Amino acid sequence: QLQLVESGGGLVHAGGSLTLSCAASGDSLEFYSLTWFRQVPGKEREAIACAGGGYNVPNYDDSVKGRFTISRDTVKNLMELQMSDLKPEDTAIYYCAAGKYYCSAVIALYDHWGQGAQVTVST
């Protein structure tokens, strides 16, 4: 059974950088489509970056395109989200997720979730 554990959240000033990590155990991330979601209070969880796997290029929501980079390391069995030029509107709880459906934005299609990491961007 795949389990995901997140790390790397925190407080950063606007314009700064932060990297979130999602370490996997119990199965190889090689067999999954990987997505980072984020959620702010009162709003739905939204997909912001996906690494579908194979030769597919990563997909990004327009709100983070050019600033965030998703990656997977099959040797270390982890996925990361490198975030740069952070803005106050990036403040949210970030979740890593692994599923069998390529880059789906449908939350119900993901069976495996990290516990969430708070990212706060101050002005």
Side-chain angles (χ1 to χ4, degrees):
Q1 180 75 0
L2 182 68
Q3 292 186 322
L4 303 175
V5 177
E6 296 184 42
S7 61
L11 173 65
V12 64
H13 290 297
S17 300
L18 205 61
T19 296
L20 300 178
S21 295
C22 180
S25 61
D27 200 357
S28 174
L29 288 179
E30 180 183 7
F31 307 121
Y32 295 86
S33 180
L34 308 177
T35 300
W36 284 96
F37 289 80
R38 68 184 179 187
Q39 188 171 23
V40 298
K43 293 189 177 182
E44 292 187 354
R45 196 172 297 187
E46 61 174 357
I48 56 168
C50 174
Y55 295 103
N56 296 298
V57 297
N59 293 336
Y60 298 95
D61 184 80
D62 286 344
S63 64
V64 305
K65 195 173 295 183
R67 301 187 297 121
F68 290 13
T69 302
I70 185 173
S71 63
R72 76 168 79 202
D73 186 325
T74 54
V75 175
K76 296 181 180 178
N77 208 26
L78 63 83
M79 61 189 283
E80 290 189 333
L81 185 68
Q82 297 174 297
M83 304 181 289
S84 63
D85 190 21
L86 282 160
K87 304 175 181 181
E89 51 264 42
D90 294 318
T91 296
I93 299 175
Y94 285 71
Y95 297 89
C96 59
K100 294 296 188 178
Y101 296 91
Y102 174 73
C103 285
S104 174
V106 178
I107 295 172
L109 292 180
Y110 289 86
D111 296 321
H112 311 284
W113 291 87
Q115 80 278 18
Q118 176 70 49
V119 172
T120 303
V121 184
S122 64
T123 55

